[in-house]
Amino acid sequence: MEIVNTEKKTVLSLIQPTGTPTLGNYLGALKNWAKMSEEYDCIFGAADLHSLTVRTEPALLRKRTMEIYALLLALELDPEKNIIFVQSHVPAHSQLGWILNCYTQFGEAARMTQFKEKSLKNADNVNVGLFDYPILMAADILLYQSDFVPVGVDQKQHLELTRDIASRFNSAYGNVFKVPEPFIGKRGARVMSLQEPEKKMSKSDANTKSFILLTDTPDVINKKIKSAVTDSEARVYYSSEKPGVSNLMDIYGSCTGLSYEEIEAQFAGKGYGDFKAAVAEAVIEELRPLQDKFNKLVTEKAYLTETAAVGAEKAARIAYRTLGKVMKKVGLWK
Ligand code: ATP
Ligand code: LTN
């Protein structure tokens, strides 16, 4: 049976197993993925090859990859209907990645702001993989003829590079790749640090109070939100002058579906104490079903291994079709 039919559009996204995902990863990306799985043919995966750009103890990387995989299943993404897989299980990603390297200019890759930021952060290990990271990401996307790629705002530039590579390749060789569109949600696309709300919430932040992890207990979530940085005005409204409060409003709105106006009305005349308590409660309730499912699934190693093997097989069927075409077009003996 064919998995990806021609009527439904294809949605693809991957997440790196670099640590425990945060509320930012969830509201910015994962929550949208879960919503899209009814309407689209979805392909979601763990980008373990991308994670090799940062040195990690091998056993830990393996454990995190399995955890991220369990988390994808916990989002209620049905592995029968969708493809849920691990990037390194489908070698076509590395193969197309190499070919696309030869169709990307050094100067284009050097413009990527995430590379500049990450090389400052990992100054002792600025490896070639870190530089090449967006081209492997382009391969992930183009192999599956993806229509939409749901990501947080920080990945927009990588998507633009992917589109450039695809269009250039298509003008040289005919229509080989579908040119994908980014899908960036209106809410939660950039959840900010709870301690420095000018910076994005990041799981690799040294200050553990700056993020909420998807595995945090209700008690920890309460404490972290209580200690979130706000301002001295004690009035809840959305403004670029109030990044801390605006970030909490964004989080609250993403969890409850309320608009900024509705939130302002709800907390009119109330202080930050009441507001923060409500935000914490909303986050706890939002994460509860996911956490319950995740905690159960993550202990079922045999099921995870089996499901990942099925996912890789389904993914490979699509990926190798595209790779075969590309190989022929560029003149590899096939
Ligand atoms: P790190 O936090 O270590 O910098 P990362 O979380 O950005 O890494 P990934 O784990 O690959 O990297 O991100 C997975 C998805 O989560 C991506 O689509 C990314 O855009 C999104 N994302 C990450 N952080 C945030 C955030 N603070 N707000 C909204 N979306 C985010
Ligand atoms: N680079 C992304 C993770 C990622 C990805 C992808 C996202 C790897 N391959 C393909 C969308 C499509 C990140 O750091 N968030």
Side-chain angles (χ1 to χ4, degrees):
M1 196 184 71
E2 191 59 73
I3 309 303
V4 172
N5 66 41
T6 46
E7 290 137 48
K8 277 188 174 178
K9 300 266 187 197
T10 299
V11 163
L12 171 137
S13 203
L14 269 54
I15 178 166
Q16 295 189 78
T18 40
T20 308
T22 65
L23 185 67
N25 297 129
Y26 178 68
L27 297 178
L30 300 173
K31 192 176 172 182
N32 289 329
W33 300 9
K35 279 197 254 166
M36 295 175 104
S37 69
E38 284 303 312
E39 204 179 324
Y40 300 99
D41 281 317
C42 288
I43 306 175
F44 294 126
D48 56 344
L49 293 172
H50 278 103
S51 295
L52 291 178
T53 56
V54 179
R55 214 49 83 232
T56 313
E57 214 252 303
L60 183 61
L61 176 59
R62 237 182 320 268
K63 178 170 172 274
R64 284 175 171 169
T65 306
M66 217 178 237
E67 284 174 359
I68 260 305
Y69 192 81
L71 183 69
L72 293 179
L73 297 183
L75 288 170
E76 307 278 358
L77 297 170
D78 182 350
E80 298 282 326
K81 277 204 235 137
N82 304 291
I83 298 179
I84 321 277
F85 78 114
V86 176
Q87 184 188 33
S88 68
H89 293 175
V90 183
H93 290 249
S94 310
Q95 291 170 285
L96 183 63
W98 173 256
I99 296 173
L100 296 183
N101 275 333
C102 305
Y103 288 82
T104 309
Q105 295 305 302
F106 184 88
E108 284 184 294
R111 276 201 291 277
M112 297 296 111
T113 51
Q114 192 177 77
F115 169 70
K116 292 181 205 164
E117 281 165 22
K118 291 207 170 174
S119 38
L120 285 176
K121 228 158 100 184
N122 306 294
D124 57 338
N125 183 22
V126 185
N127 57 74
V128 178
L130 199 62
F131 185 71
D132 199 25
Y133 177 115
I135 294 114
L136 179 61
M137 177 166 163
D140 299 339
I141 297 168
L142 299 178
L143 273 177
Y144 298 92
Q145 308 292 345
S146 315
D147 293 281
F148 301 115
V149 184
V151 282
V153 157
D154 61 316
Q155 295 301 312
K156 198 163 172 248
Q157 196 186 27
H158 291 165
L159 250 296
E160 275 153 19
L161 179 66
T162 302
R163 288 170 56 84
D164 289 345
I165 297 172
S167 307
R168 190 173 321 134
F169 199 93
N170 285 349
S171 19
Y173 298 107
N175 268 344
V176 179
F177 296 126
K178 189 166 274 177
V179 181
E181 303 274 349
F183 179 93
I184 297 176
K186 285 196 195 78
R187 294 277 192 78
R190 196 166 164 82
V191 177
M192 309 309 278
S193 154
L194 298 177
Q195 292 300 315
E196 294 167 83
E198 305 75 28
K199 267 178 33 185
K200 95 166 183 166
M201 182 181 285
S202 167
K203 57 189 172 253
S204 46
D205 201 312
N207 184 350
T208 57
K209 280 183 173 175
S210 71
F211 50 68
I212 290 173
L213 299 178
L214 293 191
T215 48
D216 280 347
T217 60
D219 191 40
V220 171
I221 295 175
N222 247 316
K223 284 194 183 123
K224 286 183 177 175
I225 292 189
K226 238 185 220 154
S227 68
V229 166
T230 48
D231 51 66
S232 54
E233 197 187 2
R235 198 158 75 77
V236 177
Y237 65 95
Y238 200 89
S239 157
S240 56
E241 317 261 286
K242 291 164 75 75
V245 169
S246 299
N247 186 39
L248 292 177
M249 285 178 74
D250 204 24
I251 292 173
Y252 189 60
S254 294
C255 295
T256 58
L258 293 173
S259 67
Y260 297 140
E261 294 74 29
E262 286 167 327
I263 300 170
E264 283 172 22
Q266 185 182 348
F267 295 98
K270 295 190 181 149
Y272 289 160
D274 286 342
F275 175 52
K276 284 180 168 177
V279 177
E281 194 50 37
V283 171
I284 291 165
E285 287 315 314
E286 174 80 23
L287 297 186
R288 194 189 303 279
L290 182 69
Q291 292 182 330
D292 290 348
K293 271 205 102 180
F294 171 77
N295 289 334
K296 182 167 173 289
L297 276 164
V298 82
T299 60
E300 297 174 11
K301 292 235 163 75
Y303 172 71
L304 294 175
T305 309
E306 221 173 88
T307 313
V310 174
E313 204 187 301
K314 288 190 203 165
R317 244 180 276 159
I318 305 170
Y320 279 101
R321 216 162 37 214
T322 304
L323 182 68
K325 256 195 218 168
V326 170
M327 289 174 76
K328 276 200 199 133
K329 293 282 188 191
V330 299
L332 295 172
W333 188 359
K334 173 101 177 77

